[in-house]
Amino acid sequence: MSLESMTESVDSAVSGFFEPVAKWLGEVVFYSVRINGTDLPLIVAWLVVAGLVFSTWFGFIQIRKFRLAVDVVRGKYDDKNSAGEVNHFQALTAAVSGTVGLGNIAGVAVAVSIGGAGATFWMILCGLLGMATKFVEVTLGVKYREVHADGTVSGGPMHYLRKGLVDRFGPGGKTLGKILAVLASVMVLFFGLFGGNLFQVNQSYAQLVSVTGGEDGLMGSSTGALFFGLAIAALVGIVLLGGIRSIASVTSRLVPAMAGIYIVACLVVILVNVTAVPAAIGTIIEGAFNPEGVAGGVIGALIIGFKRAAFSNEAGLGSAPIAHSAVKTKHPASEGLVALLEPFIDTVVICTMTALTIVIANPASWTEARNDQSIGGVTITSDAFGTVMPWFPYILTIAVMLFAISTVLTWGYYGLKSWTYLFGRSKASEVTYKAMYTVVAVAGSLLTLNTLIDMADAVLFMLAVINIVGLYLLAPIVKRELDKFLAYVKSRDAGEHVDGDEDEDEEPAKATV
């Protein structure tokens, strides 16, 4: 029996077993209502409304404190004596590497195909609103993190939902907090294995095959797929063994590199067509309020743009606080401010660059996709690069590979924290998880397991329902933490000596080991 026939059998068996569950779960989680001829998934509305509520609640902090957030990332308010494992910049790049991925390349192409160029405008607006949500959840992640005896840190929704509800409501919130924490851990773990790992490896392999001669090319065989999977698994396994310090060390170099390569590639396309830039911007703005050929008109463009942004930057999903919780700081709100830069980088900058490149280059594949509502995905973006130089798609391939690897690494860490929350932090437990994660990475190049990936998407967005309810309930605590940090900043800027740990509740919780 050949390797190819074996993988096809596994794919078929898994799909047949999980398909009914995946279908039901998808219908529940992504339940849509019809608005002006366009379907609006309620989960997208849930995420967007949260961004609007928190933006208002905190006085549009993403605008007022943007400069301060940049200063914190630069290390202006660092305290080397703080508990934690990584600095602010490393925590940001580790988290960004989990959100910046193929969705920024393929997903945006889908958005401007279905929703027209105007979807870009609404995508940017949703990204700006998501900055406030990210601030809230990451502040809570650092506030309720656990620092273990060996100096490592655990944080995320499984911790702040459990501890925060008790902190806010007393013993009455204990049982609910524990239940929500376990559910959050299961959801993050499941998505990490199949959405953050298998899907990323599978799609990066597909792009590599496409630029090396297709199915008949160098990497098109089962042997090529196995070799690719083993190489990715080996890299991921080595980095995972080093924990968040190792991951942050890699991502702090990888994220700027991959973002730089991709943005430069986009800029080349834009500069070659620089005379078309004003018209492209005009098309985006006009398409946002007067779209042509888009189902649902303005509402349709708005929904598609919001959907793309919400699915891309993960604001409100509870995943990013896991990475940010490892930061060295005594002030939870300091990392919350750093985190609000994440949707800005992911959605406002990178997604917008993709959209602008496609609109300006106007490749034939994009026109075809708009005419018949088909989905071209990454091929549209690749074709946009190809309009400048035939070899430009190879640049895209490098970006895709870097995006995929960084996402796999970060979700490996997210999954590990969920696994150890559920099954303990013993050496055997951690080794078991890391072995399982690397095996799934190998499978990513051989299998598609589309049904499991669909389930993973649904499970991750189920987490958003639980997480955002918790964020609403715990927002007053975030407000207090913000006031404390702003007072600290004011004193530091005035040249006063400030003890960053003067408040007892600033000290992170110690874990029981």
Side-chain angles (χ1 to χ4, degrees):
M1 191 180 210
S2 67
L3 180 60
E4 188 173 350
S5 60
M6 287 176 60
T7 56
E8 287 178 357
S9 297
V10 172
D11 261 333
S12 178
V14 170
S15 296
F17 184 80
F18 285 103
E19 190 170 2
V21 179
K23 183 178 179 181
W24 174 82
L25 201 58
E27 290 175 350
V28 171
V29 176
F30 299 114
Y31 178 79
S32 300
V33 294
R34 199 77 174 169
I35 300 178
N36 198 29
T38 304
D39 291 331
L40 170 64
L42 292 184
I43 188 65
V44 173
W46 177 249
L47 292 168
V48 174
V49 168
L52 182 59
V53 168
F54 292 127
S55 294
T56 305
W57 197 331
F58 291 94
F60 290 91
I61 189 171
Q62 63 268 56
I63 298 173
R64 293 189 302 110
K65 299 301 178 183
F66 189 91
R67 174 70 179 273
L68 177 59
V70 174
D71 286 341
V72 176
V73 171
R74 290 173 48 234
K76 183 175 180 179
Y77 301 101
D78 280 1
D79 184 342
K80 295 181 181 179
N81 296 320
S82 299
E85 300 182 76
V86 297
N87 61 37
H88 288 291
F89 177 72
Q90 290 175 322
L92 176 63
T93 56
V96 167
S97 68
T99 60
V100 176
L102 296 174
N104 300 78
I105 301 173
V108 174
V110 172
V112 296
S113 296
I114 299 176
T120 307
F121 177 89
W122 302 111
M123 183 175 64
I124 294 170
L125 179 60
C126 184
L128 292 171
L129 293 176
M131 293 168 71
T133 306
K134 192 79 77 167
F135 161 75
V136 174
E137 61 183 350
V138 169
T139 299
L140 290 171
V142 179
K143 169 72 175 175
Y144 294 107
R145 65 183 177 175
E146 293 186 347
V147 180
H148 305 292
D150 60 359
T152 60
V153 177
S154 295
M158 64 285 286
H159 293 282
Y160 61 71
L161 289 172
R162 177 172 60 88
K163 296 180 185 178
L165 291 177
V166 173
D167 196 8
R168 178 88 200 279
F169 301 106
K174 185 176 182 180
T175 300
L176 177 61
K178 284 185 175 180
I179 293 173
L180 295 182
V182 170
L183 289 174
S185 295
V186 171
M187 293 170 187
V188 171
L189 177 61
F190 192 83
F191 183 84
L193 288 172
F194 299 103
N197 184 350
L198 187 144
F199 175 73
Q200 295 292 328
V201 175
N202 181 272
Q203 291 301 294
S204 58
Y205 170 69
Q207 176 65 14
L208 184 62
V209 169
S210 71
V211 297
T212 55
E215 297 296 330
D216 298 323
L218 178 65
M219 297 298 295
S221 66
S222 297
T223 302
L226 181 60
F227 175 79
F228 179 82
L230 289 171
I232 295 295
L235 175 62
V236 170
I238 291 171
V239 177
L240 273 183
L241 287 173
I244 187 60
R245 289 186 179 92
S246 178
I247 293 171
S249 177
V250 172
T251 56
S252 65
R253 294 171 175 81
L254 200 59
V255 170
M258 71 184 188
I261 289 172
Y262 188 69
I263 290 173
V264 167
C266 291
L267 285 174
V268 170
V269 176
I270 293 170
L271 290 175
V272 168
N273 299 279
V274 67
T275 56
V277 172
I281 295 175
T283 299
I284 289 172
I285 295 175
E286 182 181 358
F289 300 99
N290 186 31
E292 296 181 2
V294 174
V298 174
I299 298 298
L302 181 150
I303 290 172
I304 296 300
F306 277 7
K307 183 177 179 180
R308 178 63 261 144
F311 281 37
S312 177
N313 61 48
E314 297 179 12
L317 270 60
S319 51
I322 302 174
H324 285 283
S325 294
V327 71
K328 293 180 180 179
T329 186
K330 295 176 182 177
H331 302 277
S334 68
E335 189 61 18
L337 289 170
V338 169
L340 65 78
L341 297 174
E342 196 179 318
F344 182 82
I345 295 169
D346 174 275
T347 306
V348 179
V349 176
I350 296 180
C351 284
T352 302
M353 292 295 290
T354 300
L356 197 57
T357 298
I358 293 171
V359 173
I360 288 175
N362 194 21
S365 55
W366 183 42
T367 302
E368 294 169 1
R370 282 181 294 162
N371 288 338
D372 59 16
Q373 297 292 298
S374 65
I375 299 175
V378 70
T379 58
I380 293 176
T381 311
S382 182
D383 289 346
F385 288 143
T387 60
V388 176
M389 291 288 182
W391 46 265
F392 243 60
Y394 292 100
I395 301 296
L396 176 63
T397 300
I398 294 173
V400 166
M401 299 295 290
L402 294 178
F403 284 156
I405 291 171
S406 65
T407 301
V408 172
L409 288 174
T410 299
W411 274 100
Y413 177 73
Y414 292 170
L416 175 63
K417 290 304 176 182
S418 297
W419 176 274
T420 54
Y421 184 86
L422 294 169
F423 303 108
R425 295 183 60 252
S426 69
K427 191 70 174 178
S429 175
E430 292 191 5
V431 169
T432 299
Y433 167 79
K434 290 172 182 176
M436 178 174 63
Y437 197 78
T438 53
V439 168
V440 172
V442 176
S445 61
L446 298 169
L447 304 171
T448 56
L449 300 184
N450 287 328
T451 301
L452 282 182
I453 293 170
D454 290 342
M455 279 185 62
D457 282 338
V459 164
L460 185 64
F461 281 89
M462 280 176 60
L463 174 60
V465 177
I466 294 172
N467 185 55
I468 290 177
V469 168
L471 300 186
Y472 285 140
L473 295 174
L474 300 175
I477 294 175
V478 177
K479 183 65 168 63
R480 291 201 299 268
E481 293 299 331
L482 176 61
D483 291 341
K484 289 178 184 178
F485 180 61
L486 293 180
Y488 170 77
V489 168
K490 185 177 180 180
S491 298
R492 277 281 297 265
D493 289 347
E496 300 175 12
H497 174 72
V498 181
D499 181 1
D501 195 28
E502 60 185 359
D503 296 311
E504 183 179 346
D505 64 355
E506 289 289 345
E507 187 69 30
K510 300 292 183 181
T512 302
V513 293

